[in-house]
């Protein structure tokens, strides 16, 4: 082995909510022998990379934050990107995480070494070995750019919403916005007043409900600072309301008709032109795609400098953008709000497991994991926000914190087993978990609502969302059930056990393997 490896007990990949949460939890569990490998030069993940005009959370801030780090000073009910980013910087310092972070470390490969029972991790700036990898690279961190014929020859400016070019002045420009997802509906009203002309390419219209955004008053903030219980109660209320909504999404999509009426009324308030209203009215059940929240999207679309083209971008000819329906517009800039690689996670190509295949190969028929965390063939490797842990209507931080409980118990179990040991998810347990998840998925609005969405993979399977409440997920991930894992010992230890006639701790561990 010519390369110098630095050994750690745990390598966390990524420093967004997931990676930082994992780091805080590790320290709270008394584990300090860990690094956080981050390809960028600062923390924040989503909230560092998405700095487009109007970027904000669409789950109220008091719920979209860590339960262990309440922030009484959120300025708005739905705070903006810069405040969420500052919050994550603050968490990093408050919990002493910064010394663990290695910025500028792009993880290139992670390879399981079966003899040594550890991961060999190559990064752009050095190599590590780790007993356990916690991958928190984010489901929405690698922007997706569609392949559009002629785009290379476009003479103007092109960028993705997650890589906003702040040096480019949009004032007075003719801009094509591609996509009408969660980012686009925040961008459109923010740039509409600045640009000469905005042409919005809409493949499928979203359902949009009003966003009850307002400044949080000084009095409320004072109260949350003085009486932290009031902040906890506020969070609890926000959480409870969303838990009550879940069954309509997962079991009784027919109940969502009433919400559709409210969304239609919301649109009618701002869009008076019947032709435009027809273009903007979805033909699928509300909730099938993420319900978007905005108070200024429809009013912006009604402005005279905005054109809505009811089909996707098909081609670029010089400086002319051409839709699939044949509409044309000459533009100076194209902004892609086309989402992320969600069901084809780039990190999956970089992980090589016990059988010598990558996670991407293991997942070629769709992502599958045990309790959203571990995958068959990839011992001691777990992911935060893994398959089927996403939410349609509530805060991802709730799911992240449940996964951190699972991570903490996983590490405890390794300690209890003692020695050089790894846990490998049993394929039967992984399949059983996924069968249950997919069975429940059949009734959900995401699968039955008549839309295609980024929740579904290329074969139409929903491998991203959790078909239950966040409370249920919390219960399902409170502890690691060792019966779902094979306990693996290093060969040297196994040989010693054989020589000694399988006694003591080794025998106990071998006994566990049959559990
Ligand atoms: C615009 C936008 C708005 C959103 N709003 C909400 C919301 O309101 N409510 C909600 O619940 N969720 C929202 N989300 C989802 C959001 O992504 C999650 O809530 C959460 O921030 C994800 O955290 P994470 O740590 O898992 O991933 P990320 O925040 O994406 O962090 C992943 C980190 O991993 C790093 N990384 C990736 N690959 C490598 C590598 N190979 N080597 C080293 N480092 C690597 C990245 O640089 C990044 O820092 C939003 C997402 C977007 C894009």
């Amino acid at each position: 082995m010519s390369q110098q490896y630095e050994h750690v007990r745990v390598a966390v990949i990524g420093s967004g909510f997931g990676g930082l949460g994992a780091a805080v939890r590790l320290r709270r569990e008394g584990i300090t022998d860990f690094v956080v490998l981050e390809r960028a030069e600062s923390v924040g993940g989503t909230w560092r990379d998405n700095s487009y005009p109007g970027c904000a959370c669409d789950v109220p801030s008091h719920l979209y934050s860590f339960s262990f780090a309440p922030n009484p000073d959120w300025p708005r009910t739905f705070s903006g990107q810069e405040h969420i980013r500052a919050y994550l910087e603050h968490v990093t310092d408050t919990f002493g995480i910064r010394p663990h972070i290695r910025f500028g470390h792009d993880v290139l490969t992670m390879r399981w070494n079966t003899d040594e029972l550890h991961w060999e991790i190559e990064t752009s700036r050095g190599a590590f070995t780790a007993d356990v990898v916690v991958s928190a690279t984010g489901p929405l961190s690698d922007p997706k750019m569609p392949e559009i014929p002629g785009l290379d020859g476009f003479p103007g400016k092109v960028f993705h919403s997650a890589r906003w070019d702040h040096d480019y002045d949009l004032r007075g420009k003719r801009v094509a916005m591609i996509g009408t997802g969660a980012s686009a509906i925040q961008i459109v009203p923010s740039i509409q007043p600045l640009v000469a002309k905005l042409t919005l390419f809409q493949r499928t219209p979203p359902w949009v409900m009003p966003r009850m955004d307002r400044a949080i008053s000084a009095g409320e903030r004072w109260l949350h600072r003085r009486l932290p219980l009031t902040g906890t109660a506020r969070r609890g209320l926000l959480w409870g309301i969303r838990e009550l909504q879940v069954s309509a999404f997962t079991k009784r999509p027919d109940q969502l008709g009433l919400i559709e009426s409210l969304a239609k009324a919301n649109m009618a308030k701002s869009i008076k032109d019947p032709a435009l209203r027809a273009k903007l009215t979805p033909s699928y059940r509300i909730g099938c795609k993420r319900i978007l929240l905005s108070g200024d999207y429809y009013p912006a679309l009604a402005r005279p400098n905005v054109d809505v083209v009811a089909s996707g971008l098909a081609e670029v000819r010089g400086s002319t953008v051409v839709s699939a329906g044949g509409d044309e517009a000459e533009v100076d800039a194209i902004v892609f709000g086309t989402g992320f690689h969600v069901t084809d996670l780039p990190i999956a190509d970089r992980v090589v497991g016990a059988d010598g295949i990558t996670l991407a190969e293991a997942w070629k028929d769709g992502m599958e994991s045990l309790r959203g965390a571990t995958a068959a063939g990839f011992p001691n490797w777990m992911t935060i926000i893994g398959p089927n842990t996403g939410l349609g209507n509530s805060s991802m931080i709730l799911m992240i914190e449940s996964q951190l409980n699972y991570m903490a118990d996983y590490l405890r179990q390794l300690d209890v087993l003692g020695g050089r040991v790894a846990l490998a998810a049993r394929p039967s347990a992984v399949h059983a978990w996924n069968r249950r998840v997919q069975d429940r998925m059949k009734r959900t609005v995401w699968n039955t609502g008549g839309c295609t969405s980024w929740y579904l993979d290329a074969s139409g399977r929903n491998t991203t969302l959790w078909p239950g409440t966040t409370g249920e997920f919390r219960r399902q991930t409170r502890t690691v059930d060792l019966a779902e894992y094979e306990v693996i010992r290093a060969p040297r230890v196994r040989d010693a056990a054989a020589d000694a006639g399988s006694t003591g701790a080794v025998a106990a561990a071998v006994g566990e393997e049959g559990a």
Side-chain angles (χ1 to χ4, degrees):
M1 204 189 285
S2 58
Q3 183 137 16
Q4 285 293 312
Y5 286 88
E6 177 183 343
H7 184 76
V8 288
R9 179 153 185 227
V10 184
V12 177
I13 324 290
S15 67
F17 266 105
L20 292 176
V24 171
R25 189 60 190 264
L26 287 173
R27 287 192 63 98
R28 289 190 154 188
E29 293 293 314
I31 297 169
T32 51
D33 181 15
F34 71 91
V35 287
V36 178
L37 303 172
E38 169 56 61
R39 65 185 173 191
E41 295 298 336
S42 59
V43 301
T46 291
W47 303 102
R48 174 197 63 233
D49 292 340
N50 290 268
S51 61
Y52 57 76
C55 183
C57 54
D58 56 14
V59 169
S61 294
H62 283 272
L63 189 59
Y64 191 63
S65 41
F66 288 122
S67 63
F68 55 80
N71 176 13
D73 290 316
W74 285 119
R76 302 195 67 81
T77 49
F78 295 88
S79 298
Q81 171 260 342
E82 69 276 25
H83 293 286
I84 305 173
R85 185 179 184 184
Y87 168 80
L88 288 173
E89 290 280 350
H90 179 73
V91 165
T92 307
D93 290 323
T94 307
F95 293 88
I97 305 307
R98 212 167 284 279
H100 295 275
I101 306 180
R102 308 294 173 86
F103 290 116
H105 282 63
D106 186 4
V107 172
L108 306 174
T109 58
M110 293 176 245
R111 194 174 286 277
W112 177 246
N113 183 322
T114 307
D115 293 330
E116 300 294 333
L117 290 194
H118 66 208
W119 285 93
E120 288 165 5
I121 304 167
E122 315 284 337
T123 82
S124 52
R125 267 199 218 166
F128 298 80
T129 52
D131 297 336
V132 175
V133 168
V134 177
S135 180
T137 56
L140 307 178
S141 70
D142 288 282
K144 194 169 182 168
M145 288 284 270
E147 281 179 23
I148 305 288
L151 185 61
D152 286 348
F154 179 67
K157 189 77 194 170
V158 176
F159 52 88
H160 189 278
S161 57
R163 300 288 182 270
W164 197 267
D165 186 340
H166 291 277
D167 293 334
Y168 184 75
D169 189 356
L170 284 171
R171 273 176 298 184
K173 299 286 186 345
R174 298 162 302 172
V175 179
M177 174 82 227
I178 315 301
T180 51
S183 299
I185 76 145
Q186 296 183 338
I187 293 169
V188 165
S190 306
I191 66 170
Q192 173 273 322
L194 309 176
V195 302
K197 177 95 198 160
L198 181 61
T199 309
L200 178 64
F201 284 77
Q202 168 196 274
R203 241 181 1 193
T204 321
W207 283 106
V208 182
M209 294 287 284
R211 190 166 74 142
M212 307 299 187
D213 186 30
R214 63 169 177 85
I216 295 179
S217 69
E220 285 171 275
R221 283 185 267 151
W222 177 86
L223 196 64
H224 294 331
R225 264 196 309 275
R226 283 299 170 94
L227 286 174
L229 260 180
T230 58
T232 311
R234 184 175 189 151
R235 181 183 174 94
L237 189 65
L238 292 166
W239 169 76
I241 291 168
R242 281 160 184 75
E243 290 291 88
L244 291 175
Q245 296 165 350
V246 169
S247 76
F249 289 95
T250 57
K251 293 183 189 151
R252 284 180 282 279
D254 48 307
Q255 289 180 347
L256 293 164
L258 176 67
I259 315 290
E260 271 175 24
S261 314
L262 296 174
K264 279 184 184 160
N266 178 44
M267 185 197 306
K269 234 174 26 203
S270 313
I271 307 290
K272 302 296 174 202
D273 171 9
L276 182 55
R277 238 186 2 246
K279 266 190 209 173
L280 296 175
T281 304
S283 58
Y284 57 86
R285 177 110 285 192
I286 195 167
C288 183
K289 289 161 91 78
R290 194 176 177 88
I291 300 175
L292 306 184
L293 305 181
S294 176
D296 47 12
Y297 178 64
Y298 287 136
L301 296 188
R303 305 296 301 167
N305 67 337
V306 179
D307 255 353
V308 179
V309 173
S311 56
L313 176 65
E315 192 188 344
V316 178
R317 281 191 225 122
S319 55
T320 302
V321 284
V322 185
S323 79
D327 299 271
E328 296 187 4
E330 205 174 322
V331 297
D332 305 304
I334 307 176
V335 179
F336 284 92
T338 40
F340 300 87
H341 289 277
V342 182
T343 52
D344 54 344
L345 290 177
I347 197 71
D349 282 315
R350 301 181 178 199
V351 192
V352 183
D355 305 323
I357 61 167
T358 65
L359 190 58
E361 285 162 341
W363 282 351
K364 66 180 186 323
D365 297 325
M367 301 193 293
E368 270 200 344
S369 71
L370 177 56
R371 297 179 193 269
T374 51
F378 296 81
N380 280 8
W381 191 91
M382 65 173 58
T383 178
I384 305 291
I385 315 195
N388 293 110
T389 59
L391 297 176
N393 76 324
S394 192
S395 170
M396 280 312 298
I397 312 310
L398 299 164
M399 301 300 273
I400 289 174
E401 289 195 21
S402 293
Q403 296 214 275
L404 300 182
N405 289 341
Y406 196 75
M407 174 197 80
D409 196 54
Y410 192 103
L411 292 165
R412 262 183 243 127
Q413 301 273 9
L414 288 178
D415 270 350
V416 170
L417 290 165
R420 282 154 39 73
V421 66
L423 294 175
R426 291 179 186 277
S428 56
V430 176
H431 294 145
W433 173 260
N434 281 280
R435 234 185 353 263
R436 284 205 300 276
V437 167
Q438 291 304 328
D439 271 355
R440 288 171 60 172
M441 206 59 89
K442 288 182 193 144
R443 292 168 65 185
T444 67
V445 68
W446 312 306
N447 284 38
T448 63
C451 74
T452 53
S453 72
W454 57 264
Y455 298 150
L456 310 179
D457 66 14
S459 62
R461 223 156 60 105
N462 188 332
T463 53
T464 55
L465 293 187
W466 167 243
T469 61
T470 64
E472 186 194 351
F473 188 73
R474 178 144 299 206
R475 289 190 294 281
Q476 296 280 353
T477 51
R478 209 182 285 286
T479 53
V480 169
D481 177 0
L482 272 189
E484 295 184 333
Y485 287 89
E486 189 183 342
V487 179
I488 309 171
R489 297 253 168 208
R492 280 206 293 273
V493 181
R494 284 207 296 267
D495 293 348
D499 291 348
S502 292
T503 53
V506 174
V510 171
E512 291 281 9
E513 277 182 66

